């Protein structure tokens, strides 16, 4: 029997945005989602123009998220949006998410969850009150080889995690003159970005990846964060040492002033019996270096029957046909849409509300530690 | 002003097919195409089931391509399919294409163009007669770095092409017991595959990549082709030496029995001033090795403003966010759909009818040379 | 006019040793050194056997370093050892070095300089008193591409150093049962290794590499060190955050329990205009990622005339003929021997006494910081 | 009991030579060889100067190879050279080798064996007559991972060899103006180089590597060779298709005009159960891609106890301490010197006379095939 796609509405993501179009392509690749409505900008005229540009029916291209939530609620059940995607600057995440939850819509929100830890707690409270579903698009957990890494650690065959090294380095804010353009501007403005300097913007991805692959919570950290480029008020460069709850130790670097780096997310997880190594820019290779054995390169592919089911489930092509960032993003959309249908996997393989809040705690802890000269802080 | 997507119908690509779903995801990513009809199988009941499974409206899920062409012709102009995608086994390409052209539909066909060179000539004749547009999905020309390579050679700054080495090696037909499953079966059946053993199936891709990047026609070749695995009648392994019309020389390997290889398409093009090196499995890196200079690694990204416009035009994400095979495929769909709208680029960057026929001549020449003990044969 | 090689004697490096034979091969490759005497073990009989095994003349195979120093002093000037290489366990470095300096011999010592910071100061005092030359074999500074990295930073064209990430991870002490065999045993014994757990053994290499490439001193650090494998008293795993005197920040990981890693020394140095990236296991590639340009891969080769003279001077082969660890080591020997002859380069490109002492300060600071819960400590 | 090194004399390798110094460093690394005499140039004065520069005793720095052979014969047994290394331009190989064999000296000769096939047969005849030992320095068989590849194929566990792709591409003769300097000049001069254009100079290496790893003889080939750069009379660029005696097929490219390439020797050997892939410029990695398993990266290291003994025997350092070209060369010297002592391994792992002659047959066959328009020729 055929299945209709899950209908969704988008808040944010209008003209000039980076991540909004990525969400829309991701949903198209996912194959089980369809965009039916949007409030693409907080500016009513811009929202209208943006909706038209992407082919939204005018009556479902709303001037604000409040209008969208009300408008969609009033539509017949078989037609109204079934979930809402939020892709605004960070400071709008919490109010939009809370409004959506209260209007009865599940929410898939871009990361970080909110602009402040207090706002995150308010979202948590709203989710508890309404019983609504929340997902956070930590894209990188959508890659098959990241899911494979998680499965290998989770199987227990590699033993305990001992050390982790994760870094997320970009160079695109390397100079004062780089911080221009719509997406750069709000990212370095504390009022819109909140705790979202480099540690919020990409540090949370690194943090999430650590917790996702190890299956453990980060328990403590010592951090040093700074605004390295003169004239900035938000952090653009920082590092931390951390502990995992299971006894492992780690280092984390998050910086947007690492000249020459594009999207340099890399992680090594050393367990007792093997080390796992993954680089976002070569996402289809997972190096598995076992004790006393030649190193192995794991790759995805519909014909790689030895892969974990969570990796296989998101592999569209035979081995050697590389999938990338957009497909990883699509995998988050796919799984979230299935959850909206009530077919969530038992152990979800995308970030949920708890992960989103953990991310906010991580940022807050890093700020606190840094402010206190690197003191170790519990998360 | 908003633009509606270009409507298309699909012939082939039903249950169990590999390339049909790839075409559909590609079209979804392209963003300017919409599937509106299909004749997904030559078996009427299977066609119906397949159409339902992917959500085609029942009245536009046809039992045969003849019904599809007739049915779509009768629809109002603003609703009917604007082009037809053909993703059947090779022996159906020519009759379906000719029927579509005669019914007035532009055609985007999977490679190789047809099953025999005679069939290719019949298609050529039909295209001349009808003036219809034909595209061939040589996927790999959709990759930004392949287009960049073509642009670098085409600019003249690298001087003449001297030597080319291209290989396309897979291992998935490495053993007799591998040739099971829908897509394997027809590929090794001469009645359905035509000249499409390994040289037809993947050798044409390698051939097309040579001509695409160098901007030159292959003029002569000496080949040796064989069915290496006992019991096969179609070639599964072969190699050739060739000449380019501009004086360059090259080698080409196409094999589906190279155990352990996934989709190993690699090309090196050495010009007087630099060598260019590209591997499909790491498609976002183009190595440019200039005389007397450190090697350069070119990568795509919306922020790589020094890239050629043909590469930039198909880059959806900032640098470091890898795009892959499906996006490359999407780029072919995108450009073909724009051509259907009448906005074809001056120098098309996807394979057209002439390239498709050249591919058939290449296969025929390889067969002929091999049959004559490796004699050099003109294309 | 022909030049005789510089004669040297070796202290340590007898049967079963790892680093002694490496020093001897290195000296052979260097081409300007000749081993003429040795006291290869602290055990007289073992020293004799070891000397015989490597072909030392019996009368110059001494039973102790005191005998060696005395014996060589008494030889005629044209025959006696011109410098002494010390390759014993760490706790012997200081007494042997001081004795050698006082006997008038220049000393090339394996790293770390000594077992304790106090011992390092005693060596410093002896060097000051005697005016003797001291070198420390921080092998990795012998690689052409490391010298090239230093030259690129030193030229000023890349701007200030902003961030450094260095890690030195090995897996060979990953389990309790791994710590067997001569070289493992003394390395985990505090009485012989001194401050030389993982931070002393390999952390100092990482530290030295940071200072060598950046041309800056490390000014402060916060570290966390531990003995992760049960039953050990010396650290086998740790990490630090640090400051450079010029304002750059960095992270350093040194661990010998990173299962699956062989000799994983890697460094990234991000400057304002470019990032530099080097991996010891692929030592002939230096990635130079400039702002707004394709990444460059610099490689050595006698024909790479654009390389810095300090890199060219240690390149024996044309490009593409890989040199490795032993050649890097040889380069240290070569330069030190030339310095012994009185032909030291103006800016020496191997580690000297000050670097050795800086390394000991680094280890001490890391221990102190770790003991105080990660407090930031000045070096 | 200690062992004295094996004494050797060198013919050729004087001022300005490339390969002579490489041989001497290799012998120094080998550790079981000692240079005691030389006739370093065919010009007497140059020979004298060259001998002095490298520290030969004046009385053993001979003015010609005839003088050398006579002079050394007359020395006492415990002092005279025990073998002769020949590193002259190609046309001198045969006369010097024959003279040395007749004077009773084993010979280690640079490749190709001789300048013509006739000359090779004369050497063969001399070796038969005298019973003398001949080795050819096909350097690349000295790499541990090449020996490991041979062992894996030889074990039978990978099944029959099906396809081979080998290429040896360099760019250093890419332009007319490149062919200057001592080593370039004789290489492009037919009188001195013989059949030694690109196919002789580096094609023989590629050929030898194929036979070494597969353990099979090449039985037939079809080749196309040319002098691509105007004004040359010797080939600088070419390719071939070939058959192995066991039924496998292959392609071979040898070119010195591949701009941007340094020393690009690469080989893939696909067997029934796995593909093996090795690149000279990253010599410490052997990729083993087995059917239905993650790819494996084999690396050398004294601690890699699962390696074949022929690989282990030539590994000086722990894993992760890269060895390179000079060590590979040293391994040839080491094994040949042991053979001179009468301790040859049962299955020698360096090229011997038969391999050298096979190499000459390969060159001759390639020339013949090319002259006849690519006709298939038996070796």
């Amino acid at each position: 029997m055929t299945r209709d796609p899950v209908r969704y509405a988008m808040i944010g993501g209008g003209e000039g945005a980076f991540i909004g179009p990525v969400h829309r392509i991701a949903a198209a690749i996912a194959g089980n989602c369809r965009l039916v409505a949007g409030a693409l900008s907080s500016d009513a005229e811009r929202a209208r123009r943006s909706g038209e540009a992407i082919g939204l029916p005018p009556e479902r291209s709303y001037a604000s998220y409040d209008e969208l939530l009300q408008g969609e609620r009033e539509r017949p059940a078989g037609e109204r949006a079934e979930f809402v995607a939020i892709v605004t600057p960070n400071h709008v995440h919490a109010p939009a998410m809370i409004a959506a939850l209260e209007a009865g819509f599940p929410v898939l929100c871009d990361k970080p969850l909110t602009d402040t830890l207090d706002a995150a707690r308010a979202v948590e409270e709203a989710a508890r009150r309404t019983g609504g579903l929340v997902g956070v698009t930590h894209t990188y957990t959508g890659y098959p080889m990241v899911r494979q890494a998680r499965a290998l650690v989770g199987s227990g065959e590699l033993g305990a995690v001992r050390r982790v090294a994760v870094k997320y380095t970009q160079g695109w804010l390397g100079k004062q003159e780089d911080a221009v353009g719509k997406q750069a501007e709000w990212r370095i403005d504390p009022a819109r970005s909140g705790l979202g300097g480099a540690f919020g913007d990409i540090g949370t991805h690194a943090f999430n990846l650590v917790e996702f692959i190890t299956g453990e919570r980060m328990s403590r950290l010592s951090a040093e964060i700074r605004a390295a480029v003169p004239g900035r008020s938000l952090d653009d460069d920082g590092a931390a040492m951390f502990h995992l709850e299971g006894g492992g130790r780690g280092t984390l670097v998050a910086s947007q002033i690492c000249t020459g780096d594009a999207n340099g997310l890399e992680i090594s997880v050393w367990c007792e019996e093997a080390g796992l190594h993954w680089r976002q820019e070569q996402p289809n290779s997972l190096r598995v270096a076992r004790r006393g054995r030649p190193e192995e390169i794991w790759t995805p592919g519909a014909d790689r029957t030895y892969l974990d089911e969570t990796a296989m489930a998101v592999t569209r092509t035979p081995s050697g046909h590389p999938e990338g960032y957009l497909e990883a993003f699509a995998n988050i959309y796919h799984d979230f849409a299935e959850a909206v249908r009530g077919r969530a996997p038992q152990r979800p393989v995308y970030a949920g509300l708890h992960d989103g809040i953990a991310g906010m705690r991580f940022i807050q802890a890093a700020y606190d530690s840094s402010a206190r000269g690197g003191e170790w802080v519990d998360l």
Side-chain angles (χ1 to χ4, degrees), chain A:
Chain A
M1 214 193 77
T2 181
R3 299 187 63 84
D4 288 330
V6 179
R7 298 176 302 278
Y8 76 101
M10 180 168 280
I11 295 173
E15 290 172 356
F18 155 56
I19 207 69
V22 164
H23 278 247
R24 293 193 294 265
I25 298 176
I29 298 176
N32 64 345
C33 300
R34 185 153 55 92
L35 180 66
V36 295
L40 302 184
S41 171
S42 54
D43 173 287
E45 171 53 20
R46 188 172 203 161
R48 195 195 57 73
R49 274 204 320 270
S50 301
E52 188 181 346
I54 66 167
L56 279 186
E59 72 281 10
R60 296 179 87 172
S61 178
Y62 301 93
S64 72
Y65 67 77
D66 281 326
E67 285 187 22
L68 179 145
L69 295 170
Q70 187 171 342
E72 290 299 309
R73 276 187 82 171
E74 290 167 358
R75 295 208 159 249
E79 197 183 289
R80 81 164 71 109
E82 294 168 272
F83 74 89
V84 168
I86 297 179
V87 296
T88 63
N90 299 345
H91 69 300
V92 182
H93 287 187
M97 233 183 308
I98 291 169
L101 287 167
E102 288 182 340
F105 292 99
V107 183
L108 184 58
C109 184
D110 209 83
K111 46 41 60 184
L113 185 68
T114 54
D115 53 343
T116 66
L117 185 48
D118 281 349
R121 290 191 179 118
V123 171
E124 186 177 29
E125 172 51 29
R128 189 177 303 125
R129 201 164 56 235
T130 61
L133 185 68
V134 175
V136 184
T137 54
H138 276 300
T139 327
Y140 305 109
T141 63
Y143 278 115
M145 288 301 99
V146 168
R147 295 184 177 194
Q148 183 63 41
R150 174 187 168 91
L152 283 169
V153 175
S155 75
E157 65 170 299
L158 307 187
V161 174
R162 284 172 161 181
R163 178 157 287 284
V164 173
V166 66
K167 69 180 205 44
Y168 198 155
T169 50
Q170 301 178 326
W172 70 294
L173 293 176
K175 296 225 162 169
Q176 247 172 309
E177 64 265 34
D178 288 334
V180 295
K182 185 174 168 169
Q183 50 159 316
E185 278 165 15
W186 73 253
R187 274 182 171 75
I188 63 163
D189 172 7
R192 285 178 285 173
S193 199
L195 292 176
F199 254 61
D201 192 22
I202 59 176
T204 43
H205 272 311
F207 163 82
N208 180 256
L209 196 61
V210 170
E211 292 203 345
F212 184 79
I213 292 179
T214 65
E216 296 187 34
R217 291 292 175 193
M218 192 181 286
S219 55
R220 307 180 68 213
L221 63 72
S222 160
E224 191 183 49
I225 297 176
R226 62 171 175 164
V229 172
R232 293 212 178 124
S233 47
L234 273 178
D235 62 293
D236 51 18
D237 176 67
M241 300 191 289
F242 63 81
H243 293 183
L244 293 173
E245 60 186 356
R249 307 283 171 94
T251 51
L252 182 153
V253 177
S255 175
Q256 292 175 317
I257 61 159
C258 285
T259 304
D261 279 16
N263 199 33
L265 175 59
E266 296 186 24
I267 190 166
S268 291
V269 176
W270 291 278
C271 303
E272 286 168 329
E273 300 299 329
L276 304 178
H277 307 273
W278 182 81
R279 278 189 64 203
Q280 192 275 146
E281 296 189 4
Q282 304 286 9
N284 296 305
S285 294
L286 173 67
R287 285 201 298 125
V288 180
R290 297 181 200 270
R291 206 175 137 72
R293 298 249 299 268
E295 200 170 284
E296 297 163 8
I297 309 292
W298 291 55
T299 54
D303 48 318
R304 301 297 200 222
T305 49
Y306 49 80
L307 292 177
D308 185 73
E309 60 179 350
T310 56
M312 286 301 273
V314 292
T315 299
R316 290 165 184 76
T317 47
S319 55
H321 297 73
E323 302 191 32
Y325 174 81
L326 295 168
E327 285 80 15
F329 218 118
N331 299 335
I332 308 291
Y333 260 82
H334 181 274
D335 289 1
F336 186 77
E338 291 304 305
V340 166
R341 284 203 224 259
R343 303 206 314 185
Q346 201 112 11
R347 273 166 60 226
V349 281
Y350 61 88
L353 179 62
H354 287 306
D355 303 298
I357 290 168
M360 295 309 296
R361 279 210 203 92
F362 161 76
I363 306 174
Q364 186 66 54
Y367 273 67
D368 291 348
S369 170
S370 190
R372 292 181 217 146
E375 204 173 278
W376 282 84
V377 171
D378 290 338
L379 263 80

